[in-house]
Amino acid sequence: NAGVTQTPKFRVLKTGQSMTLLCAQDMNHEYMYWYRQDPGMGLRLIHYSVGEGTTAKGEVPDGYNVSRLKKQNFLLGLESAAPSQTSVYFCASSWGRKETQYFGPGTRLLVL
Amino acid sequence: AQKVTQAQTEISVVEKEDVTLDCVYETRDTTYYLFWYKQPPSGELVFLIRRNSFDEQNEISGRYSWNFQKSTSSFNFTITASQVVDSAVYFCALSEPVKAAGNKLTFGGGTRVLVKP
């Protein structure tokens, strides 16, 4: 039982490049989330999903897209990376709406 | 909007001392959930405890204990007999409903705990 895993762990991008961050959970959780963590800003919700095939915007969705084609996976895409997207990205999942969110190990992204 | 405040930015103690982390929150919800997470130097976020708003019973779990007082909107966390491995950033968080049946965590700014041997 791996819990929540994230791929890759670290990535360097040039401005304008695209990439996809993968989050996978093996706990059969319905809800999945993407957060970003920045110094002095805490964690902020980017997008979330309440079930397979559904996604919704969080508080900082601009510049990101997501997909939840399979229940266990939640993908975060950056179509055209910008330096402002340099951050640590955390994926989380939970069984239900008000249940505990369990986090992955994070992906550190540097956009030059 | 909901808000979580952790007034202590950094606490430094010597091993075996007790450490109490303060957390004050604001919410208009009548039912809500509060959490503490730990972020060690390795960077992952580790869930520690969860408390719902209608259960004010304070508990102890090993070296961890928490004091939830709804009247003062506080959810303080104590580490007893601290150890070097407790060195980390500790986040208090409040669950907040969002549209489309979703939910998000509103995090405080975190308190960095440094336990010296």
Side-chain angles (χ1 to χ4, degrees):
Chain A
N1 189 335
V4 181
T5 58
Q6 292 183 232
T7 309
K9 293 182 180 179
F10 176 69
R11 183 76 181 270
V12 179
L13 288 180
K14 294 181 180 179
T15 296
Q17 288 185 319
S18 63
M19 78 163 295
T20 300
L21 282 66
L22 170 64
C23 175
Q25 52 94 5
D26 61 3
M27 297 177 282
N28 202 33
H29 285 171
E30 289 292 335
Y31 288 66
M32 297 187 75
Y33 316 81
W34 277 107
Y35 292 86
R36 58 178 289 174
Q37 183 180 30
D38 303 291
M41 302 291 287
L43 280 85
R44 293 178 291 171
L45 182 66
I46 305 171
H47 286 281
Y48 60 96
S49 169
V50 302
E52 182 178 322
T54 72
T55 63
K57 295 180 180 179
E59 56 184 316
V60 288
D62 293 343
Y64 305 95
N65 56 75
V66 288
S67 64
R68 183 101 181 266
L69 298 179
K70 293 183 179 181
K71 186 177 183 178
Q72 63 268 34
N73 295 337
F74 195 29
L75 279 63
L76 178 71
L78 285 74
E79 292 185 346
S80 180
S84 61
Q85 293 177 306
T86 293
S87 186
V88 180
Y89 292 85
F90 285 98
C91 175
S93 71
S94 66
W95 179 77
R97 183 178 184 180
K98 295 187 176 181
E99 299 300 319
T100 300
Q101 293 184 23
Y102 293 92
F103 286 80
T107 294
R108 188 173 297 274
L109 177 65
L110 175 61
V111 182
L112 301 175
Chain B
Q2 302 188 341
K3 185 178 179 181
V4 177
T5 302
Q6 294 179 251
Q8 307 149 307
T9 54
E10 185 167 325
I11 299 175
S12 182
V13 299
V14 176
E15 205 169 19
K16 297 185 182 178
E17 288 184 342
D18 296 349
V19 181
T20 295
L21 309 180
D22 299 332
C23 174
V24 175
Y25 61 92
E26 297 175 23
T27 180
R28 293 182 178 181
D29 291 339
T30 55
T31 302
Y32 50 89
Y33 294 80
L34 293 159
F35 303 83
W36 278 97
Y37 284 86
K38 173 183 178 181
Q39 188 171 41
S42 52
E44 71 270 25
L45 279 164
V46 179
F47 163 72
L48 295 177
I49 57 175
R50 171 178 181 256
R51 174 61 60 196
N52 61 53
S53 58
F54 46 88
D55 183 0
E56 292 194 63
Q57 182 178 357
N58 296 312
E59 293 186 18
I60 298 173
S61 176
R63 294 187 299 109
Y64 297 156
S65 62
W66 47 98
N67 185 346
F68 174 41
Q69 293 191 342
K70 201 170 181 178
S71 60
T72 57
S73 298
S74 66
F75 186 48
N76 298 337
F77 176 69
T78 298
I79 305 171
T80 302
S82 60
Q83 301 175 1
V84 173
V85 293
D86 296 326
S87 296
V89 179
Y90 290 82
F91 291 96
C92 180
L94 171 66
S95 69
E96 176 181 5
V98 291
K99 60 183 183 296
N103 192 62
K104 74 165 185 174
L105 291 176
T106 298
F107 284 82
T111 299
R112 182 177 301 278
V113 173
L114 177 61
V115 182
K116 300 177 182 177

